[in-house]
Amino acid sequence: LSAIDGSKVMTLAGHTGPVTDVAYRKQESLAVSASADFTAIVWRIPTVQTIKKSAMPYEVKPRCVLRGHGGPVTCCAFGGASKSVVTGSRDKTLRFWDVTPGPDPQPTMVISECHQDWINACAWSETGDYVVTASNDFTLKLWDVKAGKDKVKFVGHTSAINCVATSHGCVVSGCYDGTVKVWSHKGEEITTLYGHGQRVNACDLKVTVESEEAPEEEPEIADWSIAMETEEWEEEHRKRKIGAKKKDESKVIQVTTVTAGDDGTVRMWKPLEGNELSTLTGHSDRVLGVAMAANSHIVSGSLDKTVRLWNPELQGAAEESFSHDAEVTGVVFLPVGCYVATCSRDGTIALWGLDLDRDGTN
């Protein structure tokens, strides 16, 4: 849908049940959607130029269908620099897929009985080394992708965990009891954020980093607290040569988190400072999806069938509001151009064209 006139830009129709999650990969312009119909679908998103040249609305057919889960697929994510997808399900399994081959790919790895209850959410690290899962069993787990084994178990929530996000070694999770927890990816709880009066359904985070010089022998670290990949690496770090040639390393200087809940609000936090930046109100029903762009614009989707675009720096809060034909269950920013993909309980995914330039902030 266009944010300028409300016209439909693109329809991705292929699921036979509600769409529960959607993810996007910039490099190949691929999207993946998860559904209660027990499948996930991979889509190739055409370029903006192709969309503009074609007749509206533009319809995209599935590139391939990922089958094999024994329950509704609740989450999906792309991994690192590879053309791989991970899907999680109420059948308590994680399935990893290579989406480069034909129309009906088989999983490259299946991890069964990942949790004692449903998997509700998953997030793949930007380095591709690990996947974090959230479950109804009150725990998060960090999985070593190469070994196919759980490396860290996060314990501290006292209710079902509905959402998780990770970036640069920071992990954020939202819970049924309304709390939000921030962790290091070694399972150390950093802080708990209170504010939502009801269940937290979605979360996202933006990590601001700066480059600094580090010895060449140090592996590149994407961490926000301490270097913690393995004990072996820490030993190597201590033994590095003095005066070795330098190379760039990322250092985290700020973390911003956004959350959405059953109380109908979207909340923005700076967890390292332990404070809530703003509460965004306007939805008339539960908010199930939220995502944050690099410029701090926020998009949210709700059971009130609307998608809202926010600029927390502006006093007016909500810049735009548009409607789906059914309840909106997930949202994601596409990093190429001003576009947002949303998914709905009517089994469709919509692509929105956003005009972020009109207020002069982007």
Side-chain angles (χ1 to χ4, degrees):
L1 303 177
S2 169
I4 298 176
D5 59 11
S7 62
K8 186 179 291 185
V9 174
M10 186 186 306
T11 299
L12 286 74
H15 286 293
T16 58
V19 181
T20 56
D21 196 13
V22 62
Y24 179 77
R25 177 173 167 77
K26 178 180 178 180
Q27 286 84 344
E28 292 81 25
S29 296
L30 295 177
V32 60
S33 55
S35 174
D37 64 9
F38 293 24
T39 71
I41 296 179
V42 177
W43 317 79
R44 182 175 292 282
I45 306 299
T47 64
V48 175
Q49 290 77 11
T50 301
I51 297 172
K52 289 181 177 179
K53 291 178 181 177
S54 67
M56 295 294 185
Y58 192 97
E59 187 170 349
V60 179
K61 295 182 180 179
R63 184 170 184 263
C64 61
V65 180
L66 310 179
R67 298 182 175 90
H69 279 293
V73 184
T74 55
C75 54
C76 55
F78 283 99
S82 65
K83 296 180 182 178
S84 298
V85 169
V86 63
T87 54
S89 169
R90 290 186 179 181
D91 64 9
K92 299 186 284 187
T93 69
L94 279 179
R95 290 176 178 259
F96 294 81
W97 314 79
D98 182 354
V99 296
T100 53
D104 194 14
Q106 298 301 307
T108 57
M109 180 169 60
V110 178
I111 306 176
S112 301
E113 299 298 324
C114 294
H115 287 270
Q116 295 179 11
D117 208 331
W118 296 347
I119 297 174
N120 292 325
C122 64
W124 204 328
S125 69
E126 65 275 13
T127 59
D129 297 332
Y130 63 87
V131 170
V132 182
T133 55
S135 172
N136 268 11
D137 66 5
F138 304 4
T139 69
L140 299 157
K141 286 187 178 181
L142 185 146
W143 300 85
D144 185 321
V145 174
K146 292 183 179 179
K149 297 180 179 180
D150 59 316
K151 187 175 179 181
V152 182
K153 186 175 182 179
F154 300 66
V155 179
H157 279 295
T158 58
S159 191
I161 307 171
N162 302 310
C163 56
V164 64
T166 183
S167 180
H168 292 81
C170 174
V171 177
V172 176
S173 56
C175 185
Y176 191 92
D177 62 12
T179 62
V180 176
K181 288 186 181 291
V182 183
W183 319 73
S184 77
H185 70 194
K186 204 173 186 179
E188 298 166 339
E189 183 179 330
I190 305 301
T191 188
T192 301
L193 306 174
Y194 300 92
H196 285 286
Q198 300 177 51
R199 177 175 61 184
V200 179
N201 296 310
C203 62
D204 197 9
L205 76 161
K206 182 182 73 172
V207 177
T208 304
V209 298
E210 65 178 5
S211 295
E212 63 177 16
E213 290 190 335
E216 187 175 278
E217 293 178 0
E218 283 186 34
E220 186 169 319
I221 310 165
D223 250 308
W224 76 313
S225 53
I226 58 174
M228 57 180 69
E229 273 302 313
T230 62
E231 295 298 324
E232 289 77 13
W233 183 89
E234 291 177 349
E235 181 65 21
E236 179 184 337
H237 175 66
R238 286 189 291 268
K239 294 179 179 179
R240 70 185 186 275
K241 293 180 181 179
I242 298 175
K245 187 179 177 181
K246 306 287 185 175
K247 69 175 181 179
D248 286 341
E249 176 188 311
S250 294
K251 178 182 179 182
V252 173
I253 59 175
Q254 186 57 265
V255 176
T256 306
T257 300
V258 62
T259 57
D262 276 2
D263 57 7
T265 67
V266 175
R267 296 172 186 264
M268 194 173 182
W269 318 75
K270 283 193 175 179
L272 297 183
E273 300 173 9
N275 66 318
E276 181 180 332
L277 295 180
S278 58
T279 300
L280 308 177
T281 59
H283 282 295
S284 60
D285 207 334
R286 294 182 289 162
V287 187
L288 297 192
V290 70
M292 182 164 47
N295 62 2
S296 295
H297 280 81
I298 295 170
V299 65
S300 57
S302 168
L303 293 186
D304 64 11
K305 303 181 183 179
T306 68
V307 176
R308 289 178 180 264
L309 175 69
W310 313 81
N311 183 350
E313 296 179 359
L314 295 181
Q315 224 168 2
E319 291 180 335
E320 305 288 351
S321 178
F322 306 100
S323 298
H324 259 276
D325 293 331
E327 295 87 346
V328 182
T329 56
V331 297
V332 62
F333 269 103
L334 276 62
V336 54
C338 299
Y339 286 87
V340 168
T342 60
C343 55
S344 171
R345 284 187 176 175
D346 62 7
T348 65
I349 298 101
L351 184 71
W352 308 67
L354 305 176
D355 184 4
L356 302 181
D357 294 324
R358 286 179 294 168
D359 58 68
T361 59
N362 183 26

